[in-house]
């Protein structure tokens, strides 16, 4: 049977898209949430909406590219609720462009958020979970962790890295900390809004013609963390049924 015990769940990138949808779903399931993102106005509104419907949530401004900020975020979650059961490393950016465009600042931003941000989340949460004797780290990747497409080389490289990091952590965890990689296909979110390259932006309009609601990814996260302690759901790939990619 699934594990119905209410958990303390920390979520990065919780102000919109998959992070927001995951917060809403997990709050509805009775979990206690600690939410982080840079846009505190959206976080505060989300917390108000969750608590108004009987859920439990709090929030703190978070920049996942700053290791100390992520450490403080996880520590604050622990101080508020007494433990941290699940860390959802969701924050991500996707400013696609052809390599020949040489948008090096965008490349570095993707590396900082998509890779270092996940590592910072792991480094903050793992010692807490080890001390508790249990925990669950959920990393949000992409179908880009399994395939590469034009204009997405660097983005896919960051998601391949998240997949490798997740598998390495799983092998090292010896059962006390569960690890799940969730790889969404095209999903309704603000990720594509950050694409400045005209060719990549045009290609993405076609690519995103069929898109999942963010709630579909939230459902996958909810499923993974609801399993009993002896069950470790390692990878979930969720694509639109109409998508060939």
């Amino acid at each position: 049977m699934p594990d119905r015990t209410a958990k303390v769940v920390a979520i990065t990138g919780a102000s919109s898209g998959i992070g927001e949808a995951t917060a809403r779903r997990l709050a509805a399931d009775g979990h206690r949430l600690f939410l982080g993102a840079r846009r505190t106005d959206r976080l505060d509104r989300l917390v108000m909406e969750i608590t108004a419907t009987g859920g439990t949530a709090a929030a703190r401004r978070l920049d996942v590219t700053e290791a100390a900020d992520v450490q403080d975020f996880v520590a604050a979650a622990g101080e508020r609720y007494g433990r941290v059961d699940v860390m959802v490393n969701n924050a991500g950016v996707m400013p696609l462009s052809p390599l020949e465009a040489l948008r090096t600042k965008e490349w570095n931003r993707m590396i900082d958020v998509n890779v270092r941000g996940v590592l910072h989340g792991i480094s903050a949460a793992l010692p807490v979970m080890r001390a508790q004797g249990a925990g669950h780290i959920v990393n949000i990747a992409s179908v880009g962790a399994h395939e590469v497409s034009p204009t997405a080389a660097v983005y896919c490289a960051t998601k391949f890295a998240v997949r490798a990091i997740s598998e390495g952590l799983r092998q090292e965890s010896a059962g006390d900390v569960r690890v799940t990689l969730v790889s969404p296909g095209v999903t309704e979110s603000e990720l594509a809004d950050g694409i400045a390259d005209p060719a990549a932006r045009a290609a993405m309009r076609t690519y995103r013609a069929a898109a999942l609601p963010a709630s579909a990814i939230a459902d996958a996260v909810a499923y993974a963390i609801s399993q009993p302690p002896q069950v470790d759901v390692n990878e979930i790939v969720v694509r639109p049924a109409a998508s060939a990619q």
Side-chain angles (χ1 to χ4, degrees):
M1 295 292 291
D3 181 2
R4 302 298 185 187
T5 305
K7 296 178 172 66
V8 175
V9 184
I11 305 174
T12 72
S15 61
S16 66
I18 291 170
E20 178 183 355
T22 299
R24 293 184 185 279
R25 169 60 198 270
L26 298 187
D29 287 351
H31 301 296
R32 294 175 290 169
L33 307 180
F34 201 74
L35 310 177
R38 291 179 300 156
R39 294 177 293 187
T40 55
D41 56 333
R42 293 194 178 196
L43 282 181
D44 292 343
R45 185 164 59 249
L46 178 58
V47 167
M48 288 179 60
E49 291 173 3
I50 288 172
T51 56
T53 56
T56 302
R60 178 189 177 102
R61 187 188 184 280
L62 174 65
D63 181 349
V64 299
T65 68
E66 297 292 337
D69 208 13
V70 185
Q71 292 282 343
D72 291 345
F73 171 73
V74 172
E79 289 169 7
R80 185 175 188 90
Y81 297 122
R83 59 187 295 114
V84 178
D85 299 299
V86 182
M87 179 71 176
V88 181
N89 290 309
N90 166 72
V93 294
M94 191 184 71
L96 305 184
S97 64
L99 289 171
E100 66 181 1
L102 303 179
R103 292 179 176 268
T104 56
K105 289 184 178 180
E106 293 180 352
W107 300 349
N108 288 329
R109 178 66 177 164
M110 282 188 280
I111 292 167
D112 286 344
V113 176
N114 299 355
V115 182
R116 290 194 177 95
V118 168
L119 290 170
H120 292 162
I122 291 170
S123 68
L126 190 57
V128 174
M129 294 175 178
R130 284 273 160 79
Q132 295 170 172
H136 196 157
I137 291 177
V138 180
N139 295 328
I140 306 298
S142 165
V143 292
H146 302 261
E147 60 193 32
V148 181
S149 55
T151 76
V154 178
Y155 175 75
C156 292
T158 65
K159 296 304 184 177
F160 269 73
V162 172
R163 187 180 177 200
I165 291 163
S166 300
E167 176 59 11
L169 179 60
R170 182 196 69 80
Q171 293 181 19
E172 295 173 6
S173 292
D176 58 341
V177 176
R178 296 188 289 177
V179 181
T180 299
L181 180 77
V182 179
S183 294
V186 179
T187 303
E188 295 170 356
S189 74
E190 297 178 354
L191 274 179
D193 297 346
I195 301 175
D197 182 86
R201 191 166 59 247
M204 188 52 56
R205 280 197 293 270
T206 301
Y207 186 79
R208 296 176 70 83
L212 293 165
S215 60
I217 313 306
D219 291 343
V221 175
Y223 169 78
I225 72 171
S226 73
Q227 299 308 299
Q230 69 272 22
V231 177
D232 192 0
V233 178
N234 301 137
E235 286 198 46
I236 304 177
V237 180
V238 187
R239 291 182 173 95
S243 174
Q245 282 83 16

